Amino acid sequence: MNSVKNNDAHERARRLIALAAPETLSAADRFSDQASSNAWLAAHLETCASCRAFAENAAETIHRLRAIPVAAERTLVSTTQIRVRRRALELQRHRERMWTVAVTCTAVTLCALLSTVVLWRGFEWLGARAQLAASVWQVGFLLFCVMPALVAALLLLAKDKDNGKHLADHTGSYRG
Ligand SMILES: [Zn+2]
């Protein structure tokens, strides 16, 4: 009879432990029946080592279970924040790059237009001074404008020819 009663007491104690939040085991309670249950539980735990172990185990388990999602949540939040910040920085850099490209393109176009106008005026002035026909200084102007591109094209052609010659030399040496 005594062992059955004891089993009931252990059962009741463990149910109380399982149902109670760890804080309420020690904190003062608002409800008197819960307070008396807690008082009974405290008294039982004083005398019963196995239920005390169970209570400690439960408290530790609950503590761990609470710690895990909080830790996961924190790392998730911080990694998300880092990612969002990184993405924002990337977007900002991209915008800055696009802005630089746009400004550079505009500046180059304006410079080209301005130098063309200045050159045209210069050739006009020279033509008038040398008393040349308009067609003559205009052809001169065109040649002057096209000259850099022509020189570059000639240099590239020469380089290509040179490379071709070197290649022919090498294949020749392989054959010989
Ligand atoms: Zn017990």
Side-chain angles (χ1 to χ4, degrees):
M1 263 321 260
N2 200 18
S3 77
V4 171
K5 202 188 163 194
N6 264 349
N7 275 345
D8 280 355
H10 293 318
E11 186 73 21
R12 191 186 166 200
R14 281 162 205 210
R15 203 183 300 130
L16 281 171
I17 290 161
L19 289 175
E23 304 87 51
T24 59
L25 283 175
S26 54
D29 296 295
R30 283 171 292 173
F31 307 110
S32 60
D33 66 303
Q34 202 177 346
S36 67
S37 289
N38 282 351
W40 177 87
L41 182 63
H44 181 81
L45 289 178
E46 284 278 311
T47 56
C48 179
S50 72
C51 283
R52 206 158 50 229
F54 180 87
E56 277 162 17
N57 229 333
E60 200 183 325
T61 306
I62 288 167
H63 183 74
R64 279 188 191 163
L65 280 174
R66 284 188 176 178
I68 291 163
V70 166
E73 229 167 75
R74 273 184 199 150
T75 45
L76 189 69
V77 166
S78 63
T79 43
T80 308
Q81 278 175 339
I82 287 166
R83 272 187 202 155
V84 166
R85 262 185 229 134
R86 202 180 291 159
R87 184 77 191 124
L89 266 177
E90 266 172 27
L91 282 173
Q92 198 187 329
R93 277 191 205 131
H94 182 73
R95 271 200 295 273
E96 277 166 10
R97 268 204 299 275
M98 291 311 286
W99 173 245
T100 312
V101 166
V103 166
T104 309
C105 281
T106 313
V108 165
T109 309
L110 280 176
C111 274
L113 274 172
L114 203 72
S115 55
T116 308
V117 168
V118 167
L119 266 177
W120 179 265
R121 292 281 181 212
F123 270 84
E124 197 176 22
W125 180 80
L126 275 175
R129 230 196 131 105
Q131 293 179 328
L132 295 170
S135 57
V136 175
W137 66 258
Q138 279 167 9
V139 167
F141 168 81
L142 273 178
L143 276 176
F144 190 86
C145 285
V146 171
M147 199 55 78
L150 268 180
V151 169
L154 282 173
L155 281 174
L156 282 173
L157 269 176
K159 205 180 159 204
D160 259 14
K161 214 173 177 182
D162 208 36
N163 279 350
K165 204 181 141 207
H166 276 299
L167 207 69
D169 283 353
H170 278 293
T171 45
S173 68
Y174 285 137
R175 259 182 233 136

